[in-house]
Amino acid sequence: METEGGITVRQALELPGLRGGLPEVLTCADRLDRTVRWVHAGEAPNIPALLKGGELLLTTGLGLGTRPAEQRAFIRRLADRGIAALVVELGPRFGRLPSAIVEAARTAGLPLVQLHREVPFVAVTEEIHTEIVNGHYALLRRAEEVHRRCTQAVLGGGGVPQVLGILADFAGNPVFLETPDGRLLFAAGPGTGPAGAGPLQVWEGLRGARAARAAPPAGAVLVEVPGGGPGTGSVRARLVLFAVSGSLLTVHRMAAERAAGILAVVLMQARQEEELAARGRGDFLTDLAEGRIAPGDAPAQAGVLGFRPGGDPLLPVVMRLAPESAPSGSWALLARAVAEELAGVGAPVLVGVRPVEGRVPLLLALRPGTTRTALADRVAAALRAGADRAGLERPGDRTPSAVVVGDAGGWEAAGAGLRHAAEAATAARGLGDRPWWDARRLDIDLLLWRLRDQPDLASFVERSVGPLLAHDRTARPALLPTLEAYLAHAGRKAEAARELHLNRQTLYNRLARIGELLGTDLDDPQSVLALSLALRARRHTG
């Protein structure tokens, strides 16, 4: 990106300090528009090693060496450091610069200037540094003016589109706000304000097909919009400026950095408002579930929240998140993401959040022609996709989240359906990973979960399967998976053998060993029932 706000070599030569030395440009007059980052004066032979690039070097030539080879090497080292220009004052050391120095500078592409009169280097340095500082101050003032205009726009009720429009007008180029993974949020073009066809076409052409981590096009500016938290997750969005109509300069980056701070506040406020709304919907659904809202009053209150299902049956759904995930994500983003994922369902939906309980309750209208199972599949997929987008569900969570679907019914049954689904979701969290659970099939697990702290239940588990668990801790093969498969298939040995990839005789031998360890008959229905209950209880007491 082009440097702006400094001073060029040409401008430095026109200042009184150097102009009084009668400067003569010997090489690379076409490169005098290089920017001077700083001025340095010195005579040491090792001075190239002390430079960082962009300097205007003032010298009388004492350090250039006496032999042509030394002089050429000195010039090459200066050029390698990327200095802006070399200015040599003629005098006791050189009456005129040797051809070796001139030719080396020309070959290296380094502007070389000789001064025919003595000048005070201190005064020259002070003069040029003043110009550099003044130039940077001018940039700051221009960037601060953009910041002021953006602040006024926000205080006047504007939001992200207005801020982007001001920045796009200032830069003369389209400006975009994207998520950290590269999805477009807002766009604005110069003179267009909020997004129109122009900036969106630019986005599609330059950015839309690129991976989020791909290098941006040449000349682009990327500025992160902070999210207020520690670590990589603190980045909430990213400002992207593309050099379409003209170059992007230092002042444009400075303005973008200041606009990013304003956008961070705007996005934080929007997220807070969105989360408050999502919590409000969660409070309504919880009050309905706990009987604090009468069924006759519920439709009107739901209508105020934007949920108008008409006369269609209501399907209660509850998602219970893994406790280790809940504190680190965005509940507002979850509610928005779920609503977006369900937009294609074509049915009214009311999504709430309950962060304290780690719960997401929903009510959906079950439209004619849509089955409960099909709608439950769509809702469960939307909930998991939304939790993933919001950072509230991650691979490796110790306890996977659970989605539980209740019975469809009217407003009279909606509260009880939500309460049953919420309780069953708590019990289902330790039962494994399924797309969704039917609340009607979790009643036994719910009962066992409610008894999980009772000593009698732990004793029952130990009496029933304790010897088998002790065997598996010290011997191989483990026999618990065999028992679980046998019970899951209701004692159908052929199906259990297929699931375990065992031949029948091996399965029979293992079942016989399990019967010996537990002192029970696996063909007895009462024994099978007791073992099934013990294994289910173990998931809640282990």
Side-chain angles (χ1 to χ4, degrees), residues 115-134:
L115 300 179
H116 292 275
R117 286 184 184 173
E118 182 180 344
V119 298
F121 283 177
V122 172
V124 171
T125 299
E126 181 180 359
E127 188 176 47
I128 296 177
H129 284 176
T130 299
E131 290 294 321
I132 292 173
V133 171
N134 287 342

Side-chain angles (χ1 to χ4, degrees), residues 447-514:
L447 175 61
L448 294 172
W449 181 81
R450 288 172 174 166
L451 297 172
R452 67 192 183 281
D453 294 327
Q454 295 293 324
D456 289 344
L457 186 63
S459 298
F460 167 66
V461 172
E462 178 61 28
R463 289 194 308 272
S464 300
V465 295
L468 181 63
L469 300 178
H471 168 274
D472 284 0
R473 284 193 291 268
T474 59
R476 290 292 179 270
L479 297 176
L480 180 61
T482 300
L483 179 60
E484 289 175 332
Y486 176 74
L487 297 176
H489 290 285
R492 294 186 290 273
K493 297 176 182 177
E495 295 179 14
R498 280 195 295 271
E499 179 182 326
L500 295 168
H501 304 290
L502 298 175
N503 60 54
R504 290 194 180 186
Q505 188 59 50
T506 301
L507 176 68
Y508 296 160
N509 293 338
R510 291 188 182 183
L511 291 176
R513 178 60 177 151
I514 291 171

Side-chain angles (χ1 to χ4, degrees), residues 352-389:
V353 299
R354 296 284 291 178
V356 174
E357 296 95 345
R359 201 166 65 224
V360 184
L362 301 87
L363 274 181
L364 300 98
L366 187 59
R367 293 299 198 195
T370 302
T371 66
R372 174 177 178 269
T373 299
L375 185 57
D377 288 340
R378 294 287 301 273
V379 173
L383 282 166
R384 296 194 184 281
D388 180 66
R389 285 170 55 183

Side-chain angles (χ1 to χ4, degrees), residues 191-209:
T192 65
L200 293 181
Q201 289 174 352
V202 171
W203 174 267
E204 289 297 327
L206 293 180
R207 186 70 178 175

